[in-house]
């Protein structure tokens, strides 16, 4: 690992940062257990359940519980390399299970609770998953998929006592196991498989993204520098444990920074008031959430909440519109620091605390990630010209870059077959080296000779008070090639009307280039999204083509 630097500038950060990767590194042994020996009573996790009950867990507790669970799972027949699906919401058992699998050398497959039995059947068979650890509310869905999943032989349930075999009860097997775990054979680590994430699947079936045991080290930059965490901080990333953002903000980097992780295991619909009350009551010092969440928060009277403990705020996942940035800054005194990365990577690009934020920009490349914008001819793009975000891999492979898409060598070669890893995302760079995200290659709209990214138009639209969410797509147009269309979800108190359409269009013309305004506006109760919350613009485009 590396010692924390205290850079005064981005240039100093790039010059002095160096990440050491120990041989055969294993986060559970080489960080957690070492931390537990040095500071066994230091708080690792502050957990608030759906009833508002707060519990605290130390590094010493996690070291012992993960050792017990590793022994218990080994007794169930799990071995190094076996794949285990985790469907645990934000229960404490998620952290313990991840650490136990790391010690065992088994491969964790974090999965969201929204999966249907058919989704489970597809993923279990596609990934050849051998075990599942899930909450009792998920058990019926697994039972329904089980007859079609011959590889799934190890079943562990948290919560209530299982009604019948083949399920084992999590608490019982952990309590009966030894607190001393020793690997059978060579310690797992290094280039051994650690995690499999399924991509969101915005344009087709999800792919399996594999990371190795060096992946957690890539998040040192995430927790220490982008989240700007210090020893004793309490950091809260609002993400479910079913997708990659959870380990970005609720696990590796935060613990390496010396902070405790805050977890809110709420169920049901998101409520901005509850979230603000939680931030105030529990004195959260670091907070990360998608821009959509901040849009809901700034619509509240923030002066009614004591947010004085908040020291640093970050955002990622979609474009942050300038009005939300300034509203949050005015109410809290804190700028929002954007970041960019993918399921396939760690933090690639960010606005770090020693940089001046530019609202709407995702920032500059993180150290170790030599990012470039490349045009369709393979040439580097000058400032102001859009290109695909690519990361150089021929010289030094970034720590935290995935190994590839499992069982799909063709798709892996397509994105990593040359000197660069191709992200499939478009951006442009300004004269100061800041990158401005435009969208996925497939999402860009070509209208009257202009190429328009959906994020910049969506950002302008949602800055109008009547719009909560917007998805911008292109529809066929005989004159322009494509016309810009916006599908909008309205705020409470607003009703669709021709006058409102005209008002939104005029608003967009004022806050961005006039040629980017949506010539077509459609209102909807909700937008089609993936299980990780990403807008499925492809589904909207396909529906429009069918209607046409």
């Amino acid at each position: 690992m590396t010692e924390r630097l205290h850079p005064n500038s981005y240039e100093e950060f790039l010059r002095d940062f160096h990440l050491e990767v120990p041989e055969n590194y294993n986060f559970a042994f080489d960080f957690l257990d070492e931390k537990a020996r040095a500071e066994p009573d230091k708080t690792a996790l502050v957990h608030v359940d759906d009833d508002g009950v707060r519990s605290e867990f130390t590094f010493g507790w996690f070291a012992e519980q993960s050792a017990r669970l590793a022994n218990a799972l080994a007794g169930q027949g799990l071995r190094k390399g076996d794949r285990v699906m985790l469907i645990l919401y934000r229960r404490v058992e998620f952290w313990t299970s991840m650490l136990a699998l790391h010690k065992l050398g088994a491969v964790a497959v974090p999965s969201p609770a929204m999966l249907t039995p058919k989704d489970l059947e597809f993923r279990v068979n596609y990934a050849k998953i051998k075990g599942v650890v899930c909450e009792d509310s998920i058990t019926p869905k697994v039972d329904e998929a089980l007859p079609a999943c011959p590889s799934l032989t190890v079943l562990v349930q948290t919560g209530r006592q299982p009604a019948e075999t083949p399920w084992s009860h999590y608490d019982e097997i952990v309590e009966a196991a030894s607190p001393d775990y020793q690997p059978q054979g060579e310690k797992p680590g290094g280039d051994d498989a650690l995690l499999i994430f399924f991509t969101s699947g915005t344009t087709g079936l999800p792919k399996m993204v594999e990371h190795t045991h060096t992946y957690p080290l890539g998040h040192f930059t995430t927790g220490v520098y982008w989240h700007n965490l210090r020893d004793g901080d309490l950091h809260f990333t609002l993400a479910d444990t079913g997708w990659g953002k959870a380990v970005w903000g609720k696990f590796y980097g935060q613990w390496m920074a010396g902070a405790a992780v805050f977890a809110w295991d709420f169920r049901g619909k998101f409520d901005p008031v509850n979230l603000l009350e939680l931030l105030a009551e529990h004195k959260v010092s670091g907070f990360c959430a998608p821009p959509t969440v901040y849009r809901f928060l700034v619509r509240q009277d923030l002066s009614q909440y004591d947010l004085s403990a908040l020291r640093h705020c970050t955002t990622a996942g979609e474009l942050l519109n300038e009005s939300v940035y300034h509203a949050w800054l005015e109410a809290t005194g804190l700028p929002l620091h954007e970041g960019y990365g993918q399921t396939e990577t760690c933090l690639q690009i960010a606005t770090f605390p020693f940089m001046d934020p530019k609202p709407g920009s995702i920032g500059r490349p993180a150290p170790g990630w030599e990012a470039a914008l490349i045009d369709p001819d393979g040439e580097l793009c000058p400032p102001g010209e859009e290109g695909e975000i690519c990361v150089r891999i021929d010289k030094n492979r970034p720590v935290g870059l995935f190994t590839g898409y499992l069982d799909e060598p063709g798709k892996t070669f397509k994105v990593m077959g040359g000197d660069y890893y191709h992200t499939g995302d478009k951006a442009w760079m300004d004269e100061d080296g800041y990158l401005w995200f435009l969208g996925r290659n497939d999402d860009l709209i070509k209208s009257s000779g202009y190429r328009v990214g959906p994020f910049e138009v969506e950002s302008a639209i949602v800055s109008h008070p009547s719009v909560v969410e917007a998805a911008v797509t292109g529809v066929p147009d005989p004159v322009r090639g494509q016309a810009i269309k916006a599908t909008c979800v309205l705020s409470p108190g607003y009703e669709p009307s021709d006058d409102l359409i005209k008002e939104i269009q005029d608003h967009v013309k004022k806050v961005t280039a006039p040629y980017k305004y949506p010539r077509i506006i459609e209102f909807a109760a909700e937008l089609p999204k993936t299980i990780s919350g990403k807008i499925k613009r492809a589904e909207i485009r396909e529906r429009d083509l069918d209607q046409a």
Side-chain angles (χ1 to χ4, degrees):
M1 217 151 51
T2 187
E3 294 296 321
R4 176 170 186 148
L5 301 172
H6 298 280
N8 295 309
S9 68
Y10 174 75
E11 290 71 23
E12 185 179 316
F13 185 37
L14 287 188
R15 184 193 70 206
D16 296 339
F17 182 86
H18 177 69
L19 185 64
E20 295 285 346
V21 180
E23 186 177 354
N24 203 39
Y25 182 79
N26 182 304
F27 181 82
F29 290 122
D30 299 322
F31 176 81
L32 172 73
D33 285 355
E34 291 300 316
K35 186 75 170 178
R37 276 189 277 271
E39 299 179 274
D41 298 325
K42 185 177 177 66
T43 301
L45 179 72
V46 174
H47 184 272
V48 176
D49 67 18
D50 199 31
D51 295 322
V53 177
R54 172 177 169 137
S55 304
E56 297 189 15
F57 303 88
T58 65
F59 285 104
W61 186 88
F62 275 116
E64 178 183 328
Q65 292 295 303
S66 60
R68 286 182 180 275
L69 182 58
N71 280 317
L73 294 177
Q76 298 260 325
L78 288 177
R79 297 291 182 265
K80 180 180 177 180
D82 288 338
R83 297 166 183 176
V84 182
M85 181 177 281
L86 305 178
I87 315 177
L88 293 163
Y89 291 96
R90 301 169 184 87
R91 295 179 67 106
V92 177
E93 290 91 341
F94 169 78
W95 284 263
T96 310
S97 297
M98 287 280 285
L99 294 164
L101 294 175
H102 293 0
K103 289 181 175 181
L104 190 61
V107 184
V109 187
S111 303
M114 289 182 287
L115 294 176
T116 67
K118 283 294 182 186
D119 294 329
L120 291 169
E121 179 184 329
F122 166 76
R123 294 186 180 213
V124 166
N125 291 326
Y126 191 32
K128 303 177 182 65
I129 288 172
K130 185 174 181 179
V132 62
V133 182
C134 71
E135 185 187 81
D136 52 26
S137 64
I138 306 299
T139 301
K141 292 198 287 187
V142 178
D143 283 336
E144 187 174 333
L146 198 55
C149 301
S151 67
L152 194 56
T153 58
V154 178
L155 303 170
V156 180
Q157 175 181 302
T158 66
R160 292 176 291 118
Q161 185 75 26
E164 56 185 352
T165 56
W167 290 90
S168 298
H169 191 230
Y170 179 99
D171 292 340
E172 287 185 357
I173 63 172
V174 169
E175 186 176 342
S178 168
D180 179 30
Y181 177 77
Q182 298 297 326
Q184 297 179 4
E186 184 182 358
K187 183 191 86 171
D191 293 332
D192 293 331
L194 175 79
L195 286 164
I196 292 174
F197 292 121
F198 278 88
T199 61
S200 297
T202 56
T203 56
L205 291 173
K207 300 182 287 288
M208 292 187 293
V209 174
E210 181 189 67
H211 287 287
T212 67
H213 278 266
T214 59
Y215 171 74
L217 289 170
H219 281 303
F220 183 85
T221 306
T222 309
V224 173
Y225 294 104
W226 183 45
H227 287 160
N228 193 27
L229 293 169
R230 304 169 183 168
D231 191 70
D233 274 348
L234 182 61
H235 179 80
F236 182 17
T237 285
L238 189 67
D240 188 82
T241 60
W243 42 83
K245 191 63 168 66
V247 298
W248 278 55
K250 305 171 92 74
F251 206 168
Y252 303 122
Q254 294 65 45
W255 281 358
M256 286 188 279
V261 167
F262 184 86
W264 177 30
D265 192 21
F266 73 95
R267 309 298 170 89
K269 192 174 181 181
F270 165 74
D271 185 337
V273 172
N274 288 346
L275 176 55
L276 288 166
E277 290 174 346
L278 207 74
L279 292 170
E281 178 184 352
H282 297 281
K283 305 299 180 187
V284 170
S285 50
F287 181 57
C288 184
T292 299
V293 171
Y294 285 105
R295 281 204 295 273
F296 280 108
L297 296 182
V298 298
R299 290 170 183 242
Q300 308 299 315
D301 181 1
L302 296 180
S303 66
Q304 299 301 306
Y305 305 92
D306 179 10
L307 302 178
S308 59
L310 268 181
R311 187 176 57 77
H312 192 73
C313 296
T314 48
T315 188
E318 59 192 59
L319 196 69
L320 174 71
N321 56 298
E322 195 168 343
S323 62
V324 173
Y325 174 93
H326 289 297
W328 184 259
L329 177 62
E330 183 179 351
T332 65
L334 299 171
L336 291 173
H337 296 261
E338 292 195 59
Y340 165 82
Q342 299 174 298
T343 306
E344 292 88 342
T345 72
C346 292
L347 183 72
Q348 296 180 51
I349 299 164
T351 300
F352 294 101
F354 37 82
M355 294 166 55
D356 293 327
K358 292 188 178 185
S361 167
I362 54 178
R364 302 181 71 178
W369 295 82
E370 189 180 338
L373 299 181
I374 298 180
D375 69 18
D377 297 323
E379 301 296 324
L380 295 176
C381 298
E385 184 177 309
E386 70 178 47
E388 183 184 9
I389 301 173
C390 298
V391 177
R392 191 152 198 171
I393 58 175
D394 61 330
K395 294 182 178 179
N396 296 302
R397 189 181 182 88
V399 178
L401 180 66
F402 77 134
T403 61
Y405 299 115
L406 283 181
D407 301 329
E408 296 191 272
K411 290 181 179 178
T412 300
F413 183 81
K414 183 178 179 181
V415 299
M416 291 200 292
D419 295 341
Y420 288 89
Y421 161 61
H422 290 256
T423 67
D425 289 328
K426 286 282 186 125
W428 64 276
M429 182 176 65
D430 66 20
E431 295 289 346
D432 297 323
Y434 283 68
L435 289 150
W436 301 77
F437 188 77
L438 294 173
R440 297 292 296 171
N441 280 336
D442 294 340
D443 289 334
L444 292 182
I445 302 162
K446 301 170 187 176
S447 181
S448 300
Y450 294 104
R451 288 168 62 84
V452 180
F455 274 23
E456 51 191 331
V457 185
E458 289 165 3
S459 178
I461 293 170
V462 298
S463 66
H464 190 277
S466 68
V467 182
V468 175
E469 287 187 300
V472 167
T473 53
V475 295
D477 183 275
V479 177
R480 299 174 182 84
Q482 284 184 308
I484 298 172
K485 176 195 171 184
T487 306
C488 300
V489 178
L490 291 178
S491 304
Y494 288 88
E495 296 293 334
S497 70
D498 291 340
D499 288 342
L500 183 57
I501 289 174
K502 180 69 164 55
E503 187 179 325
I504 293 171
Q505 290 172 328
D506 290 343
H507 173 78
V508 173
K509 291 177 185 177
K510 290 177 183 177
V511 298
T512 189
Y515 70 85
K516 297 177 184 177
Y517 88 92
R519 295 180 179 273
I520 303 167
I521 292 181
E522 181 181 88
F523 298 107
E526 59 182 5
L527 301 178
K529 293 181 180 179
T530 68
I531 55 176
S532 64
K534 293 181 180 178
I535 297 170
K536 299 171 76 170
R537 296 181 185 85
E539 185 173 309
I540 297 174
R541 289 195 296 267
E542 290 169 6
R543 184 187 63 201
D544 289 341
L545 285 173
D546 289 342
Q547 290 177 350

